[in-house]
């Protein structure tokens, strides 16, 4: 209802973008007709490739469009466009770039509802959450717009009045390769620092979620970036490989799984290209008995059930001090059972549909295996079939809490990437820190306690790149985000990301005569 009620104010812009969306921001009606590649400042059909993949609306299982995968020629055209735009953009001052990025942020804010709706339709997450994603996206652009004007090097004095200075220079054409869980936000987390530093970008979203990133490309053009500065190519493995192997690509920033991350790094190694890898996780959330229980329960829900549990930094191993195990478990199960699953475009829905059927089956497989290995399903875990007939073929399940878990169970060791929380009791701080770190991953971690010394001591001991004290999965764009160990390296967000989208040139200046040793 609310989605329909909003329509009149959105109509003019929606029609300008995609005529069908105006009539169809109701689940089960949206289709995409326009090309999904973006090159040289416009939507284009790919020049080659052309293998078609179906793109789904997870809420209904309906095909919303066919994706034409970009071939080698199309990838090359996108890179050449980016190269040409780079020449203009990299010569502009930081303040000039800042103004364009701020305008892009403003347009995203203005179109928040439309972009969030696109994201919900293509990803399956609730509209409530998609709006938050879009807010984090424009905040990211604003943040890097703010930094663009003050990117600078150092001035170093040398003997005899000589001196040196450093210049922070862009890398060139950067490639962004994204996952399907936060399509628009991932594209912003990569493009905002890249563009602020003076780079151009060719972005490839996941073939499951190709739609919203093209909107971002249109917004950049509308905001005033040179045509070709931000291009979108579409496709899966083959398209990604063409990008990574392209000799004119200077850097690859990848968000996705560990196995793909390894392949990206191998391809990058051949061209000596720097990489940023944002990979998977199996993060610990440690709940001490002296916590504020209600906050800890809220934190555990935030750590596990955003975006149907399809979040890389989720705290899926919930370690609970044995003294409060029963009280915590009872409350967390009660609250999980209350999560409203269903049509993601409805205002009161808090969990939508998983990305696709194979992924839902995979998550179900993990739950089945957990039961076989002795875990106890305390709630959820079963498929959910909404009453609304149009949702019958959607990919829904009820959020799941597993009790009686042991550290060596598959559900505790492997990333499930679905709404499945594993509860693990512990007795001492020393023991829990060791168990928390006993994983190949190291993306995130969290601690709930009222004891500030213990909180800082424990996060200092966690081998993870993003730690939370008394909260979880909040994402202020001012803070760097990224992993330790198999969760990758490089950082997104915060000042730190500048390091990964720029290179330092040192200039040594002689003020005297050259004293030759020859
Ligand atoms: N650390 C982080 O920030 C995040 C990590 N992830 C991780 O991503 C995974 C889920 O996302 P998926 O899309 O299933 O991951 P994926 O690794 O299958 O695909 C990610 C992207 O890489 C592309 N790709 C696949 N094979 C490629 C190849 N050989 N060369 C170049 N590109 C290739 C895909 O088309 C897609 O765009 C989970 O493991 C999750 O933890 C997801 C979101 C955030
Ligand atoms: C926004 N946040 C923190 C919930 C998740 C961001 C990382 C990801 O793309 O999975």
């Amino acid at each position: 209802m609310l989605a329909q009620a909003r329509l009149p104010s959105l109509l003019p812009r929606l029609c300008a973008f995609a005529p069908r969306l105006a009539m169809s921001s109701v689940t089960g009606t949206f289709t995409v007709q326009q090309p999904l590649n973006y090159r040289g400042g416009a939507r284009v059909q790919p020049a080659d490739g052309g293998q078609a993949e179906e793109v789904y609306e997870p809420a209904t299982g309906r095909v919303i469009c066919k994706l034409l995968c970009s071939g080698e020629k199309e990838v090359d055209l996108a890179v050449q466009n980016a190269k040409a735009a780079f020449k203009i953009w990299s010569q502009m001052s930081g303040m000039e770039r800042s103004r364009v990025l701020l305008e892009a942020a403003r347009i995203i804010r203005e179109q928040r509802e439309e972009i969030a709706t696109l994201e919900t339709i293509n990803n399956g997450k609730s509209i409530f959450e998609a709006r938050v994603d879009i807010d984090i996206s424009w905040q990211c652009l604003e943040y890097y717009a703010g930094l663009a004007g003050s990117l600078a090097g150092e001035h170093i004095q040398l003997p005899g009045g000589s001196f040196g200075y450093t210049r922070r220079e862009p890398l060139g054409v950067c490639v962004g390769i994204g996952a399907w869980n936060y399509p628009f936000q991932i594209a912003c987390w990569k493009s905002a620092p890249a563009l602020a530093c003076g780079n151009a970008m060719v972005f490839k979203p996941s073939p499951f979620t190709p739609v919203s990133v093209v909107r971002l490309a249109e917004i950049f053009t509308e905001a005033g970036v040179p045509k070709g500065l931000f291009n979108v190519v579409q496709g899966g493995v083959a398209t990604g490989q063409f990008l990574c192997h392209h000799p004119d690509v200077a850097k690859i920033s990848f968000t996705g799984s560990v196995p793909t991350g390894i392949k990206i790094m191998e391809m990058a190694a051949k061209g000596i290209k720097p990489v940023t890898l944002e990979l998977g996780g199996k993060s610990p959330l440690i709940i001490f008995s002296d916590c504020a229980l209600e906050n800890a329960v809220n934190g555990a829900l935030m750590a596990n059930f955003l975006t149907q549990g399809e979040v890389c930094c989720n705290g899926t191993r919930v370690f609970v001090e044995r003294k409060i195990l029963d009280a915590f478990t009872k409350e967390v199960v009660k609250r999980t059972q209350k999560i409203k699953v269903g049509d993601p475009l409805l205002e009161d829905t808090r969990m939508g549909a998983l990305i696709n059927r194979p992924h839902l089956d995979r998550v179900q497989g993990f739950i089945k295996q957990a039961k076989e290995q002795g875990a106890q399903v305390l709630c959820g875990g079963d498929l959910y079939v909404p009453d609304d007939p149009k949702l019958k073929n959607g990919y829904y399940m009820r959020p799941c809490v597993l009790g009686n878990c042991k550290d060596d169970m598959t559900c505790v060791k492997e990333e499930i990437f679905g709404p499945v929380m594993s509860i693990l009791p512990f007795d001492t701080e020393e023991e829990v820190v060791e168990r928390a770190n006993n994983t190949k991953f190291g993306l995130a971690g969290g601690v709930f306690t009222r004891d500030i010394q213990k909180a800082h001591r424990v996060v200092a001991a966690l081998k993870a790149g993003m730690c939370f004290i008394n909260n979880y999965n909040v994402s202020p764009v001012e803070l760097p985000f990224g992993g330790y160990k198999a969760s990758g390296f490089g950082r997104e967000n915060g000042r730190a990301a500048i390091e990964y989208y720029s290179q330092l040139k040192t200039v040594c200046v002689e003020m005297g005569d050259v004293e030759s040793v020859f």
Side-chain angles (χ1 to χ4, degrees):
M1 273 316 282
L2 272 167
Q4 278 167 313
R6 279 195 311 272
L7 271 180
S9 64
L10 290 173
L11 266 173
R13 182 158 290 289
L14 291 174
C15 290
F17 160 52
R20 295 295 301 269
L21 184 58
M23 270 73 75
S24 59
S25 52
V26 174
T27 298
T29 50
F30 175 77
T31 56
V32 185
Q33 276 118 23
Q34 293 162 299
L36 290 168
N37 276 58
Y38 196 91
R39 160 164 54 81
R43 285 178 183 255
V44 290
Q45 293 292 356
D48 68 340
Q51 185 202 325
E53 305 258 353
E54 291 184 328
V55 180
Y56 296 93
E57 175 182 42
T60 59
R62 215 173 41 92
V63 174
I64 57 173
C65 62
K66 290 226 168 108
L67 179 79
L68 296 176
C69 297
S70 306
E72 197 168 4
K73 189 167 161 208
E74 177 60 29
V75 165
D76 183 54
L77 285 170
V79 172
Q80 297 315 326
N81 268 272
K83 248 178 105 175
F86 172 73
K87 282 199 183 133
I88 305 166
W89 184 249
S90 58
Q91 292 306 312
M92 285 163 64
S93 74
M95 282 297 278
E96 287 168 322
R97 293 199 289 262
S98 169
R99 238 170 273 137
V100 176
L101 294 178
L102 282 176
E103 175 60 5
R106 189 197 63 73
I107 302 171
I108 295 174
R109 265 202 311 280
E110 187 181 273
Q111 299 179 11
R112 175 190 195 238
E113 201 56 32
E114 175 193 337
I115 303 167
T117 304
L118 280 180
E119 202 77 327
T120 291
I121 291 170
N122 195 187
N123 167 274
K125 67 175 73 189
S126 75
I127 183 74
F128 183 88
E129 260 195 64
R131 288 186 192 122
V132 178
D133 295 358
I134 306 312
D135 288 341
I136 294 172
S137 302
W138 64 253
Q139 285 161 15
C140 183
L141 285 172
E142 275 194 348
Y143 177 76
Y144 287 104
L147 289 187
S150 57
L151 298 176
E154 286 180 305
H155 178 274
I156 303 117
Q157 293 182 4
L158 298 171
S162 292
F163 62 93
Y165 63 95
T166 57
R167 287 164 51 86
R168 192 152 283 285
E169 297 187 346
L171 298 164
V173 177
C174 300
V175 157
I177 298 180
W180 42 262
N181 56 346
Y182 286 83
F184 193 85
Q185 187 181 289
I186 289 174
C188 288
W189 283 16
K190 296 190 189 307
S191 59
L195 269 47
C197 290
N199 301 286
M201 180 163 264
V202 180
F203 192 89
K204 189 195 81 60
S206 162
F208 303 137
T209 51
V211 178
S212 61
V213 175
V214 199
R215 192 73 201 96
L216 177 65
E218 290 180 320
I219 289 170
F220 277 135
T221 301
E222 199 181 327
V225 305
K227 287 187 168 57
L229 191 75
F230 182 85
N231 307 279
V232 181
V233 295
Q234 301 281 2
V237 179
T239 311
Q241 287 170 339
F242 293 136
L243 282 169
C244 294
H245 285 308
H246 199 293
D248 291 335
V249 164
K251 186 228 158 71
I252 305 159
S253 176
F254 170 76
T255 297
S257 62
V258 174
T260 309
I262 293 169
K263 289 182 194 142
I264 299 273
M265 211 171 147
E266 282 168 358
M267 289 186 276
K270 296 210 170 77
I272 325 269
K273 302 182 208 295
V275 286
T276 296
L277 298 177
E278 297 287 357
L279 309 177
K282 190 74 197 177
S283 302
L285 172 60
I286 304 172
I287 317 268
F288 285 100
S289 59
D290 60 357
C291 68
L293 190 68
E294 202 186 326
N295 279 335
V297 169
N298 280 330
L301 299 177
M302 285 290 289
N304 281 273
F305 299 137
L306 289 173
T307 306
Q308 298 74 243
E310 300 156 324
V311 181
C312 54
C313 46
N314 269 1
T316 44
R317 292 183 294 142
V318 181
F319 292 97
V320 183
E321 194 167 348
R322 205 176 299 274
K323 278 185 243 170
I324 59 160
L325 180 66
D326 290 345
F328 174 87
T329 306
K330 195 168 152 230
E331 196 53 27
V332 103
V333 167
K334 195 171 100 196
R335 293 281 306 281
T336 302
Q337 285 168 325
K338 282 196 187 144
I339 294 174
K340 186 159 180 287
V341 184
D343 186 342
L345 277 179
L346 297 182
E347 285 297 323
D348 60 347
T349 295
R350 288 296 176 272
M351 186 174 287
L354 276 73
I355 190 69
N356 53 35
R357 178 71 58 193
H359 187 61
L360 177 63
D361 290 346
R362 195 170 161 265
V363 174
Q364 291 285 306
F366 273 112
I367 295 170
K368 183 166 169 277
Q369 192 178 16
K371 285 193 267 190
E372 285 162 7
Q373 292 179 349
Q376 191 190 354
V377 174
L378 301 175
C379 68
D382 49 338
L383 294 177
Y384 174 71
V385 184
D387 292 335
D388 184 342
K390 70 173 181 281
L391 308 178
K392 292 276 182 245
N393 295 319
Y395 316 125
Y396 302 93
M397 63 172 280
R398 286 194 176 85
C400 177
V401 179
L402 295 174
N404 208 25
C405 295
K406 304 276 178 314
D407 290 5
D408 60 355
M409 288 177 178
T410 310
C411 64
V412 178
K413 282 163 71 177
E414 298 300 324
E415 182 181 49
I416 299 176
F417 224 57
V420 185
M421 177 193 305
S422 296
I423 298 186
L424 300 141
F426 74 90
D427 294 297
T428 69
E429 180 185 322
E430 198 188 357
E431 166 212 334
V432 77
V433 166
E434 203 199 304
R435 289 169 63 195
N437 284 332
N438 187 17
T439 166
K440 62 184 180 231
F441 298 110
L443 188 52
V447 180
F448 274 84
T449 173
R450 284 191 175 101
D451 178 338
I452 54 165
Q453 277 133 344
K454 183 159 64 180
H456 293 290
R457 194 166 62 229
V458 170
V459 292
L462 287 180
K463 295 189 169 62
M466 177 80 228
C467 291
F468 300 92
I469 294 176
N470 291 334
N471 206 339
Y472 206 97
N473 263 347
V474 285
S475 17
V477 295
E478 303 91 318
L479 302 184
F481 178 88
Y484 282 15
K485 302 200 276 183
S487 294
F489 53 78
R491 291 293 176 268
E492 299 197 303
N493 291 342
R495 277 187 176 276
I498 298 298
E499 296 284 331
Y500 299 96
Y501 284 103
S502 60
Q503 54 195 340
L504 213 55
K505 175 175 284 168
T506 303
V507 182
C508 183
V509 183
E510 178 59 60
M511 295 296 279
D513 293 326
V514 179
E515 282 176 27
S516 175
V517 295
F518 302 106

